Amino acid sequence: MRMSSLHYRAMRFLLPMGIRAYIGPQRKDVGSEVSELREDGFAFLKNVSVNTRELVSEFLAHVSLDEFQRTEDLSEYLRMREMKGLLRSSPVMASGSPDCLLTKFARQESLMTVVQEYMGLPADRIVCNVTIDALFRDKAGFIRSDGYDGALSFHRDVDAWRWLKVFVYLNDVEEGGGQHDVYLGSHRDFPRKLWKIRRYSGTELEEYFPNRCFHVIGPAGTCFAENTIAFHRGAPPEKKGRLLLTAVYFDDSVRGMHPALFQLA
């Protein structure tokens, strides 16, 4: 994400130490999902409406197997793409238009209620972007030539002063199927040896957060929210690929810093 150099450097310096890191509202009269987010940095969102069939179709309508070939079958798409030795698909992004299916998902009332309550901000101070992308089965630990590992190793995000990410599985995800892993409560815990912004192994994190790694599995439509300053990753797929919708809600300190952002209200 592009932002002013001073702004970005300040976030990268302060947040990994826990300085100005936002963990959630301090008041106690909050909903159960917001309470879980505050305590664990993670919560399942069971009241959010998800039409997986439409969202999968939207993704497949914008991607192709090659320059000429398209498919309406997600399993076929994942199988064919992994044969090409790729790690991730190019994302399909929300346009911000009221008619865009991804934009409509992000603005639904049940979701906006949780986001605003957790972030402690009105809708007109929240901006958002939504993407759908696929994670393909490949050799574990695959690293691109430019050094990017596809977010398959544990890391913290440093995205804004306040933000919340919402994820939706668009196909069934079991362990070994590219599930999301998160160290519960690590958004409130900042050991000095973990201040550096880099990739971490599970072995390193277990020293500080023993037995707190949660593997998020579930059927298509499983929806969950996370404060991703907690250590997290997408696990390398071993059995099959994964299709994921990600909606990221930022405070307005990043307004105008990313071309795909649109206002929540």
Side-chain angles (χ1 to χ4, degrees):
M1 176 178 296
R2 296 180 180 178
M3 55 182 62
S4 72
S5 176
L6 181 60
H7 186 184
Y8 183 62
R9 286 165 62 187
M11 289 196 317
R12 286 179 65 88
F13 179 73
L14 295 174
L15 296 185
M17 295 187 291
I19 301 173
R20 289 202 62 181
Y22 182 73
I23 66 170
Q26 296 306 302
R27 70 182 198 279
K28 296 183 179 180
D29 59 330
V30 295
S32 59
E33 293 157 325
V34 173
S35 179
E36 290 175 26
L37 278 166
R38 183 177 59 197
E39 295 304 311
D40 294 333
F42 173 93
F44 285 109
L45 304 181
K46 297 181 180 179
N47 296 319
V48 174
S49 177
V50 181
N51 189 321
T52 55
R53 183 185 299 273
E54 287 189 355
L55 290 167
V56 170
S57 295
E58 181 76 3
F59 174 79
L60 293 174
H62 288 84
V63 297
S64 60
L65 296 174
D66 54 36
E67 187 177 355
F68 305 104
Q69 185 181 7
R70 291 186 181 276
T71 179
E72 297 181 358
D73 183 87
L74 178 59
S75 296
E76 174 71 5
Y77 171 79
L78 293 173
R79 185 182 68 82
M80 294 296 294
R81 294 302 280 185
E82 73 181 34
M83 289 173 60
K84 296 179 180 292
L86 300 172
L87 185 61
R88 282 185 180 272
S89 69
S90 297
V92 172
M93 296 187 179
S95 67
S97 164
D99 297 326
C100 173
L101 191 62
L102 278 67
T103 303
K104 288 180 179 179
F105 171 85
R107 286 179 171 161
Q108 62 180 287
E109 185 176 354
S110 59
L111 189 46
M112 289 175 62
T113 298
V114 173
V115 170
Q116 289 176 247
E117 188 176 20
Y118 180 76
M119 294 181 67
L121 296 171
D124 62 3
R125 288 202 53 203
I126 300 174
V127 292
C128 182
N129 77 325
V130 189
T131 60
I132 299 176
D133 77 318
L135 181 61
F136 306 117
R137 183 173 59 175
D138 205 308
K139 295 180 180 178
F142 177 85
I143 298 176
R144 243 170 33 189
S145 59
D146 62 2
Y148 179 57
D149 70 346
L152 302 187
S153 301
F154 287 104
H155 60 282
R156 295 189 192 270
D157 292 340
V158 180
D159 288 336
W161 295 112
R162 295 187 186 189
W163 77 92
L164 184 68
K165 289 192 177 181
V166 173
F167 302 97
V168 182
Y169 289 154
L170 298 182
N171 62 334
D172 298 342
V173 176
E174 59 184 13
E175 284 199 48
Q179 82 279 353
H180 184 87
D181 293 336
V182 56
Y183 273 87
L184 299 178
S186 60
H187 69 308
R188 296 185 286 107
D189 203 341
F190 299 87
R192 185 179 183 87
K193 288 187 177 180
L194 303 180
W195 284 358
K196 188 175 181 180
I197 298 176
R198 65 173 178 85
R199 299 313 202 212
Y200 290 85
S201 69
T203 301
E204 290 176 289
L205 298 181
E206 281 294 321
E207 179 180 349
Y208 298 95
F209 315 118
N211 303 313
R212 283 159 62 180
C213 184
F214 180 60
H215 307 296
V216 187
I217 60 174
T222 297
C223 180
F224 52 98
E226 186 173 308
N227 180 341
T228 54
I229 203 165
F231 282 103
H232 65 284
R233 70 169 183 172
E238 299 170 358
K239 298 178 180 178
K240 65 176 183 178
R242 180 201 73 188
L243 189 66
L244 184 75
L245 179 147
T246 305
V248 191
Y249 299 87
F250 307 92
D251 65 57
D252 57 3
S253 67
V254 301
R255 190 188 302 275
M257 301 297 183
H258 191 291
L261 289 177
F262 59 90
Q263 192 161 318
L264 186 58

